[in-house]
Amino acid sequence: MSQTIEERLYTIRYKADDKSHLIITDHNVCENCRDKPCNHFCPSDVYLWHDVERMTSVAYENCIECGTCRLACPYYNIEWVYPKGGYGITYRYG
Ligand code: SF4
Ligand code: SF4
């Protein structure tokens, strides 16, 4: 039987750095980004637009390093690098 995405994500271990490896380059660009697709395409719900603060928050600790946001932000407004050595995700097999 195939696993759900939640079951698959459960097999991942995170070690979060104290500094984000994902940076929103310009929050003003997000303001004018109509559909804010990052709020939907990220499988780990890293990005969330806040209407009151007028900004996109980045829960980088949850990132599974799939790389989607590098390409899928229509304004290339997300700076993406791999986490520093020793941080980020490891996959558990079996
Ligand atoms: S998709 Fe890009 S520009 Fe649009 S809200 Fe997200 S980070 Fe900002
Ligand atoms: S690399 Fe993937 S999991 Fe990480 S923030 Fe981007 S879309 Fe989300």
Side-chain angles (χ1 to χ4, degrees):
M1 198 168 71
S2 65
Q3 289 181 308
T4 64
I5 186 75
E6 287 78 13
E7 288 168 336
R8 285 170 188 259
L9 288 173
Y10 187 70
T11 65
I12 295 170
R13 284 198 181 150
Y14 302 88
K15 185 178 178 196
D17 195 353
D18 54 6
K19 190 163 172 255
S20 178
H21 64 289
L22 306 163
I23 309 281
I24 301 288
T25 308
D26 185 346
H27 286 281
N28 290 325
V29 173
C30 297
E31 175 92 41
N32 297 314
C33 175
R34 199 183 61 177
D35 297 326
K36 303 185 181 14
C38 61
N39 288 223
H40 309 289
F41 63 60
C42 173
S44 296
D45 292 334
V46 167
Y47 301 101
L48 183 63
W49 172 255
H50 298 270
D51 268 329
V52 176
E53 293 88 350
R54 312 309 296 168
M55 63 170 289
T56 301
S57 63
V58 182
Y60 69 93
E61 306 90 336
N62 297 337
C63 173
I64 58 167
E65 299 164 31
C66 72
T68 304
C69 55
R70 276 179 122 161
L71 304 169
C73 169
Y75 299 100
Y76 299 102
N77 195 32
I78 299 170
E79 196 183 309
W80 191 102
V81 294
Y82 279 109
K84 277 193 319 232
Y87 292 101
I89 58 167
T90 52
Y91 292 93
R92 282 185 280 173
Y93 296 102

